[in-house]
Amino acid sequence: MVGDILSSNGAAPREPLVLGIETSCDETGIGIVRGRTLLSNTIASSMAEHARYGGVVPEVAARAHLEALQPAIEQAVAEAGIALTDLDAVAVTSGPGLAGALMVGVGAAKALAVSLDRPLYAVNHLVGHIAADILTGEEVEYPTVALLVSGGHTSLLLVRDLVSDVELLGETMDDAAGEAFDKIARILGLPYPGGPEIDRAAALGDPDAIRFPRGLSRASDMAEHRYDFSFSGLKTAVARWVERAEAAGETVSVPDVAASFREAVVDVLVTKALDACERYGVPRLLLGGGVIANRRLREVAVARAEAAGVAVRIPPLSLCTDNGAMIAALAAELIRSGRPASTLEFGADSTLPVTEIQVAVSA
């Protein structure tokens, strides 16, 4: 089937038309690409339903995916100007993510692939974030260091080849950066989701007002956790600072606390990413994940990378958050490289390692 996609009657290879399904967390993403060209990027978010709980509730997310999938697929197909029968392949996130949410997408993708008699590609959510960059129309150079920062993941990767060689350099040992933003927002009395709220408050504050700790950045941490991240200590430090100030009857400057907290997170992320670029001799850094929407993170990364002689790539913000287009793009690259489809024997894998780019590959 892959051979049929790549060529037709001996003619030049054609670009595969792929529909991607992404349901790893609270956003139902349906994307359609033709090779490296984006045709549709439809996202139905259930964030408003989770706001009342102050965070993502897995069962609520799974039910929201069930309700949103069919309308989202119909909208994506209409926007792309195609029919489902035009598809060459279907792709889906098999992990990592919330198990129940992943199961909804996996089940839908299998049903769609079987009903259309099309090959199915089960791919890694994190590697999908890297693939989003190929939809910008510019060639991606390898190797590259990738920093992925989202609500559930903070990962530093060395990408030698998108479809065959992705190495995990380090990851979050406790709270991901996005989770830390949500928790600090709650401490400061700001609404969920915390990332945009912290960003808005921090714009009015002094990032040097309070020196909060930079987790896993001491010399003693370098041997074992050089590229790992920890934000739980930072979260506790902010909470204790606010508690002490309130107990002393002092007025807590929300903008100053937000700006100082944000600066600590950004400093750690950018420092470790650029250290990896230097250590591995890679003058390229790719940023991805929803937290990349944070204005200060983008500003600091670009400025410090430029000073270090490192080129920074940041996909459009619509492709940084979880979306189906990145999943379709990764599958299209797998097809272009001649990789066989996945079998139907895979399931949702909430802890899928980033080194497994595609799962259940046909023999």
Side-chain angles (χ1 to χ4, degrees):
M1 187 67 185
V2 172
D4 295 338
I5 297 173
L6 293 177
S7 62
S8 177
N9 299 324
R14 61 186 175 88
E15 298 288 356
L17 182 64
V18 185
L19 181 146
I21 299 176
E22 155 59 33
T23 63
S24 66
C25 192
D26 63 335
E27 291 170 316
T28 306
I30 306 297
I32 299 175
V33 305
R34 190 181 296 278
R36 297 179 176 180
T37 301
L38 177 63
L39 301 183
S40 176
N41 183 25
T42 299
I43 299 174
S45 176
S46 60
M47 186 177 295
E49 298 177 46
H50 301 283
R52 71 182 72 175
Y53 306 106
V56 176
V57 180
E59 177 65 17
V60 172
R63 291 180 180 273
H65 288 310
L66 280 171
E67 296 175 359
L69 261 172
Q70 184 172 339
I73 291 174
E74 292 173 352
Q75 181 180 341
V77 168
E79 289 180 355
I82 66 164
L84 285 174
T85 51
D86 294 330
L87 294 172
D88 292 311
V90 177
V92 66
T93 297
S94 61
L98 302 175
L102 289 167
M103 289 171 64
V104 176
V106 167
K110 288 182 178 181
L112 187 59
V114 170
S115 66
L116 295 173
D117 191 24
R118 296 294 188 272
L120 176 60
Y121 286 78
V123 302
N124 192 294
H125 170 80
L126 296 179
V127 183
H129 275 297
I130 304 169
D133 194 51
I134 67 177
L135 297 175
T136 61
E138 298 182 20
E139 195 69 28
V140 180
E141 294 184 68
Y142 300 107
T144 186
V145 170
L147 174 64
L148 307 182
V149 192
S150 66
H153 302 279
T154 304
S155 306
L156 192 58
L157 314 173
L158 177 59
V159 185
R160 298 184 181 90
D161 187 280
L162 178 65
V163 300
S164 64
D165 192 351
V166 177
E167 179 183 350
L168 177 67
L169 300 180
E171 61 185 342
T172 307
M173 300 182 65
D174 38 58
D175 290 345
E179 292 174 304
F181 273 92
D182 289 337
K183 291 177 179 178
I184 296 305
R186 192 178 307 130
I187 290 171
L188 296 177
L190 300 174
Y192 175 87
E197 298 296 332
I198 291 285
D199 216 18
R200 278 190 282 270
L204 302 175
D206 178 4
D208 299 317
I210 310 160
R211 175 69 184 185
F212 288 126
R214 273 65 169 161
L216 297 182
S217 295
R218 296 174 300 185
S220 58
D221 298 318
M222 291 299 100
E224 189 174 355
H225 299 295
R226 184 168 183 169
Y227 299 122
D228 290 321
F229 302 93
S230 173
F231 297 108
S232 63
L234 171 60
K235 177 195 66 179
T236 301
V238 175
R240 296 292 176 266
W241 191 95
V242 172
E243 288 173 2
R244 286 195 297 269
E246 291 178 339
E250 301 173 3
T251 299
V252 174
S253 170
V254 171
D256 282 351
V257 174
S260 299
F261 160 74
R262 183 181 68 172
E263 200 70 9
V265 174
V266 168
D267 187 20
V268 170
L269 292 173
V270 175
T271 297
K272 287 181 179 266
L274 291 179
D275 179 62
C277 289
E278 180 180 6
R279 183 181 186 184
Y280 290 94
V282 178
R284 289 171 290 275
L285 175 62
L286 172 65
L287 304 182
V291 179
I292 299 304
N294 185 282
R295 180 176 59 256
R296 182 62 177 165
L297 175 54
R298 297 197 308 274
E299 291 174 351
V300 172
V302 170
R304 289 178 56 180
E306 182 179 355
V310 174
V312 176
R313 297 284 294 266
I314 307 176
L317 296 185
S318 61
L319 293 175
C320 286
T321 56
D322 294 347
N323 64 86
M326 68 186 193
I327 302 305
L330 177 54
E333 290 300 296
L334 290 166
I335 293 169
R336 286 163 59 100
S337 66
R339 298 303 173 92
S342 300
T343 69
L344 295 178
E345 298 175 359
F346 72 94
D349 187 346
S350 60
T351 59
L352 183 68
V354 72
T355 50
E356 292 190 37
I357 300 168
Q358 180 189 358
V359 301
V361 182
S362 303

